[in-house]
Amino acid sequence: METSSFASAFILLLLVTDPLGGIPLFVSLLKQVPKARRTRMIVREVSVAFCVLVIFMLFGQQFLQLMHLSETSLGIAGGVILFLIALRMVFPHPEGVFGDTSEGEPFIVPLAIPLLAGPSALATVLLLVSREPARLWEWVGALALTMLVCGFTLAFSEKISLLLGERVTTAFERLMGLILTAIAVEMLLSGIRHYLATLP
C-alpha cells in the first residue's frame, strides 16, 4: 500500500468489505425484514456505512493527531485487525466473521457497522488518505463505487445465494480470506519497515 491507483483502492475496499463473502449473513438478516421494507433498509445501511467511512477519510489526519497515533502504528494495527478477520473467513466460525448478530430488522448494527464499515475498512480508508491526501476525492469515488457494489449485492443476495449455492459461496469467502491474509501481512511488514527506519 505504498502507492495506490483508483482501481487498486477499489479492489482493496471491495475485498475488505467482502460483499460476496457476507452473502450468507445478508440472507439471514434480510429474512427478518418484510420485502416491502428491504430496499429502504439496504439504502439506509449502505448510506450510513458510506458516511462513516467518508468522515474517517475527511478527518482521519485530525483523528490520528488527536489520539497521538502515527501512520506506522495505524498500518500495523490495521494489518492485525485485517489478519484476524481474514482468519475467520478462511476458517469459518459458527458465529460468522463478525460474531453473533441480534434478531429483528438490522439498524446500523451489524450491517452498516461492522459488516460494511468495520475496523479493517476504517483502517484502510485512513491509510489511503493519510498516505496520499491530495487524492482524497479519488478515494471517495472508489469508496462510493464499492458501496454501490455492496448495495447491489445486498439487494440480490438471496438470488446470488441460490445461484451460486452454499459450497461455492463458502469457497469464495475462503478465497477472499486468503487474499486478505496476504494484504494484512503486507500491511504489517510495511508498518514494521517504517518503524525500523525511524530507529536511530
Side-chain angles (χ1 to χ4, degrees), residues 66-173:
L66 180 66
M67 301 300 294
H68 301 288
L69 297 173
S70 67
E71 292 179 19
T72 302
S73 62
L74 180 65
I76 294 174
V80 171
I81 292 170
L82 195 59
F83 184 76
L84 292 174
I85 291 174
L87 280 182
R88 289 176 73 106
M89 291 169 66
V90 176
F91 304 103
H93 193 276
E95 295 180 347
V97 176
F98 297 100
D100 195 15
T101 56
S102 58
E103 295 183 358
E105 179 178 333
F107 182 71
I108 299 180
V109 177
L111 263 185
I113 303 169
L115 196 59
L116 297 178
S120 53
L122 294 172
T124 300
V125 297
L126 275 174
L127 281 170
L128 283 171
V129 177
S130 63
R131 290 182 177 178
E132 296 184 79
R135 302 171 68 185
L136 170 64
W137 296 111
E138 193 174 338
W139 307 145
V140 172
L143 177 61
L145 187 56
T146 302
M147 289 294 106
L148 189 63
V149 172
C150 289
F152 276 109
T153 305
L154 272 171
F156 295 100
S157 57
E158 287 182 313
K159 292 181 180 179
I160 294 172
S161 180
L162 290 172
L163 180 66
L164 296 179
E166 186 178 346
R167 288 186 179 180
V168 175
T169 304
T170 302
F172 190 84
E173 182 174 5

Side-chain angles (χ1 to χ4, degrees), residues 4-15 124 128 138-139 142-143 146:
S4 301
S5 64
F6 178 89
S8 63
F10 166 66
I11 292 170
L12 178 59
L13 288 168
L14 203 57
L15 287 170
T124 300
L128 283 171
E138 193 174 338
W139 307 145
L143 177 61
T146 302

Side-chain angles (χ1 to χ4, degrees), residues 21-43:
I23 282 177
L25 179 57
F26 293 165
V27 173
S28 65
L29 290 171
L30 290 176
K31 282 180 180 177
Q32 305 166 27
V33 182
K35 289 187 177 181
R37 289 186 54 81
R38 288 181 186 178
T39 300
R40 184 183 301 176
M41 184 210 72
I42 290 168
V43 171

